[in-house]
């Protein structure tokens, strides 16, 4: 049996608010009724007191009470007249023994007054609520003195029945009830409108469902490795998960919610992508130490707009792609070398078949010495296996493109001297990209050549790559290190990432990258990485050291 679904949060709030409004209105009405009833009794008491004293002070009443032959005949018409003009329900004049001289019901004249008269006989005016011949009433009794005010010659009682007081209070309560009902209706309508809007925003979910969704929401945000950032219409951070903090370099304790994206200290291209109004799809951006793929999607909710940003870590994949590109280059170079070796072997065989063995030996020896010269030079100068293998591979690739790769005479790297802060992968990224750019720039130039220098100098690893390229526009001198800049046409994977990756790798290990002018007239990139653990240095791009005519590297 399926249990009924609990009422939605909006429905629960509506019911609670209606009950609350009804209780408040009922309480106000009850308080008003009690207050008005008390005020009506007080008003009746004051009115009866004033009437009784006025009658007791009347000259005609004193004279009639002081020894008139027929006090009833003289006082009954007067009492009726006073009762009609003052609005009280009865005016009873009696002798000191409490025998009535006047009464609204003439049959009660001559009977004893029902109520207390003791305080009045002592000269006091007092009030009480008592049930007499006309029912329960609020009455006042006051003494009547003789002309000299020496003795009490009579008593006057004036009063208003409780029924009249209740009728007056009920009239006021009806008015209050009408106002209360109108307030209840208006409050109910307002509550319904507000809760209808709340129901739309909460999608009809109850409190338990909302709590469960919030728990799932928090768990999902902390569980996913991809970065997620939500921004409001003013491009302020509304939500950021743990993955986004890692990818953007935001400290875990740094409260960035409510701050503008421009205040997060991100690189300018990445900040521009996050602030852009149009959506961005699979854009590659660099932070200080990561390659990030950015996707942005604007959202609309009523009149408020925001943006959802997803971030994916592309650092490892980019490194693997770089290694794959290098392997492909090595493969092409080996294929070309195999083709050339086959041609040389055919030449040697043909010379032997022609019975020219001496010439065959001379040819083979010359080719072997030429091929071994660079290998001997690299292996003799560079004892670090990763760096030596990289230079030999790049030499074969350069030869494939018609460019000579030369290792300078002062190159000297002993095994184990590479800084711990520069792992092999980062070394391949730095030197590999610089050599690739130099080879691309030198192609087609007279005496196309790339010169590589690698040595340790004053506790610093120095890497220098120069070429004989045609040069670069001086206006682009400040742009070569910016991601996306390139002098070559964009391929399928895009251009302009090489030097940006170099700068990122050097930032991680505290290295410095300079751009200057090579002796051959091309570009000369110089990398300096401290061998000992030192504070990371900012990547310097020295303006005075750059050549306006430097070659065109692939940024």
């Amino acid at each position: 049996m399926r249990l009924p679904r609990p009422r939605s949060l909006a429905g629960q709030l509506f019911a609670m608010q209606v009950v609350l409004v009804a209780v408040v209105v009922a309480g106000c009405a009850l308080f008003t009724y009690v207050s008005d009833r008390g005020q009506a009794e007080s008003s009746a008491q004051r009115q009866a007191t004033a009437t009784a004293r006025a009658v007791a002070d009347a000259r005609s009443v004193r004279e009639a009470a002081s020894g008139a032959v027929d006090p009833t005949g003289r006082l009954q018409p007067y009492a009726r007249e006073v009762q009609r003009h003052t609005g009280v329900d009865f005016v009873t004049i009696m002798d000191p023994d409490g025998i009535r001289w006047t009464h609204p019901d003439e049959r009660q004249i001559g009977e004893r007054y029902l109520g207390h008269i003791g305080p009045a006989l002592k000269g006091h005016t007092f009030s009480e609520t008592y049930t007499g011949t006309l029912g329960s009433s609020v009455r006042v009794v006051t003494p009547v003195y003789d002309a000299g005010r020496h003795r009490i010659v009579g008593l006057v009682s004036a009063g208003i029945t409780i029924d009249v007081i209740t009728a007056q209070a009920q009239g006021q309560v009806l008015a209050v009830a009408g106002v209360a009902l109108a307030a209840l209706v208006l409050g109910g309508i307002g509550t319904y409108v507000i809760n209808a809007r709340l129901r739309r925003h909460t999608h009809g979910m109850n409190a338990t469902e909302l709590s469960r969704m919030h728990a799932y929401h928090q768990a999902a945000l902390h569980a996913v490795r991809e970065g997620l950032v939500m921004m409001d219409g003013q491009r302020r951070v509304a939500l950021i998960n743990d993955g986004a903090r890692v990818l953007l370099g935001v400290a875990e304790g740094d409260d960035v919610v409510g701050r503008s994206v421009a205040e997060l200290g991100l690189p300018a291209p990445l900040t521009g992508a996050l602030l852009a109004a149009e959506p961005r799809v699979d854009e590659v951006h660099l932070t200080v130490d990561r390659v990030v793929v950015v996707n942005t999607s604007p959202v609309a909710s009523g009149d408020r707009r925001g943006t959802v940003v997803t971030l994916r870590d592309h650092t490892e994949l980019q490194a693997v792609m770089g290694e794959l590109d290098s392997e492909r280059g090595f493969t092409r170079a080996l294929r070309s070398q195999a083709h050339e070796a086959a041609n040389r072997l055919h030449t040697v065989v043909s010379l032997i078949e022609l019975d020219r063995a001496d010439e065959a030996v001379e040819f083979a020896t010359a080719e072997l010495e030429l091929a071994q010269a660079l290998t001997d030079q690299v292996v003799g100068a560079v004892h670090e296996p990763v760096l030596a293998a990289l230079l030999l591979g790049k030499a074969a690739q350069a030869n494939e493109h018609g460019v000579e790769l030369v290792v300078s005479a002062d190159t000297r790297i002993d095994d184990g001297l590479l800084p711990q802060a520069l792992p092999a992968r980062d070394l391949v990224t730095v030197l590999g990209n610089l050599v690739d750019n130099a080879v691309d720039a030198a192609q087609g130039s007279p005496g196309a050549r790339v010169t590589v220098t690698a040595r340790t100098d004053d506790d610093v690893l120095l890497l220098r790559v120069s070429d004989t390229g045609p040069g670069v526009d001086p206006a682009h001198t400040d742009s070569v290190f910016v991601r996306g800049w390139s002098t070559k046409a964009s391929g399928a994977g895009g251009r302009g990432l090489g030097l940006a990756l170099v700068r990122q790798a050097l930032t991680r290990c505290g290295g410095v990258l300079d751009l200057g002018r090579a002796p051959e007239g091309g570009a000369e990139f110089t990398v300096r990485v401290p061998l000992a653990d030192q504070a990371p240095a900012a990547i310097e791009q020295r303006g005075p050291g750059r050549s306006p005519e430097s070659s065109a590297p692939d940024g």
Side-chain angles (χ1 to χ4, degrees), residues 318-404:
Q318 189 66 42
V320 172
M321 290 176 60
E323 293 177 359
L324 179 59
D325 289 340
S326 297
E327 294 296 334
R328 288 174 177 171
F330 294 158
T331 302
R332 289 193 298 267
L334 288 175
R335 187 181 300 113
S336 175
Q337 292 297 324
H339 180 71
E340 291 297 324
N343 290 336
R344 296 186 183 100
L345 183 58
H346 285 306
T347 301
V348 172
V349 172
S350 298
L351 289 174
I352 293 175
E353 289 177 347
L354 295 175
D355 198 18
R356 296 185 177 182
D358 294 339
E359 294 180 14
V361 171
E362 182 180 355
F363 178 80
T365 302
E367 289 297 323
L368 180 61
E369 291 176 351
L370 182 62
Q372 191 67 26
L374 179 61
T375 302
D376 292 341
Q377 182 185 7
V378 171
V379 173
V382 180
H383 295 166
E384 176 61 41
V386 174
L387 186 58
L390 177 63
L391 291 176
L392 289 176
K394 291 302 180 183
Q397 286 182 262
N399 184 63
E400 173 71 12
H401 291 84
V403 177
E404 180 185 7

Side-chain angles (χ1 to χ4, degrees), residues 262-448:
E263 300 175 3
L264 300 183
L266 303 176
L270 179 55
T271 301
L274 298 181
L275 294 176
E278 67 278 0
R280 301 297 179 94
V281 179
D282 290 341
E283 283 194 0
V284 178
H285 289 273
L286 298 179
T287 62
V288 174
D289 58 352
R290 293 182 181 273
V291 181
V292 180
V293 177
V294 178
N295 285 272
T296 66
S297 177
V299 295
S301 176
D303 57 348
R304 295 182 62 84
R305 296 183 62 84
T307 305
V308 175
V309 181
T310 59
L311 308 168
R312 297 198 310 273
D313 191 355
H314 209 257
T315 308
E316 296 296 327
L317 180 58
Q318 189 66 42
V320 172
M321 290 176 60
E323 293 177 359
L324 179 59
D325 289 340
S326 297
E327 294 296 334
R328 288 174 177 171
F330 294 158
T331 302
R332 289 193 298 267
L334 288 175
R335 187 181 300 113
S336 175
Q337 292 297 324
H339 180 71
E340 291 297 324
N343 290 336
R344 296 186 183 100
L345 183 58
H346 285 306
T347 301
V348 172
V349 172
S350 298
L351 289 174
I352 293 175
E353 289 177 347
L354 295 175
D355 198 18
R356 296 185 177 182
D358 294 339
E359 294 180 14
V361 171
E362 182 180 355
F363 178 80
T365 302
E367 289 297 323
L368 180 61
E369 291 176 351
L370 182 62
Q372 191 67 26
L374 179 61
T375 302
D376 292 341
Q377 182 185 7
V378 171
V379 173
V382 180
H383 295 166
E384 176 61 41
V386 174
L387 186 58
L390 177 63
L391 291 176
L392 289 176
K394 291 302 180 183
Q397 286 182 262
N399 184 63
E400 173 71 12
H401 291 84
V403 177
E404 180 185 7
L405 190 146
V406 178
V407 178
S408 65
D410 57 346
T411 294
R412 182 70 183 180
I413 298 291
D414 293 331
D415 190 10
L417 284 182
L418 289 182
Q420 296 181 355
L422 184 65
R425 174 171 290 181
D426 285 349
L427 176 62
V428 171
T429 297
V430 172
L431 189 57
N433 276 287
L434 293 180
V435 172
D436 287 342
N437 290 342
V439 170
D440 289 339
Q443 286 186 69
S445 63

Side-chain angles (χ1 to χ4, degrees), residues 122-200:
K122 296 179 180 180
H124 301 296
T125 300
F126 74 96
S127 64
E128 65 176 348
T129 300
Y130 196 88
T131 301
T133 58
L134 300 179
S136 180
S137 62
V138 174
R139 57 182 62 184
V140 175
V141 182
T142 188
V144 178
Y145 289 93
D146 60 5
R149 299 189 68 82
H150 297 300
R151 65 186 180 91
I152 297 174
V153 296
L155 302 173
V156 176
S157 176
I160 300 176
T161 61
I162 296 298
D163 292 340
V164 174
I165 295 174
T166 302
Q168 293 176 353
Q170 286 177 345
Q172 295 177 349
V173 168
L174 289 176
V176 172
V179 174
L181 181 61
L184 180 61
V185 172
L186 291 177
I189 294 175
T191 301
Y192 176 79
V193 172
I194 293 174
N195 283 275
R197 183 175 182 181
L198 177 62
R199 186 179 295 107
R200 289 195 302 270

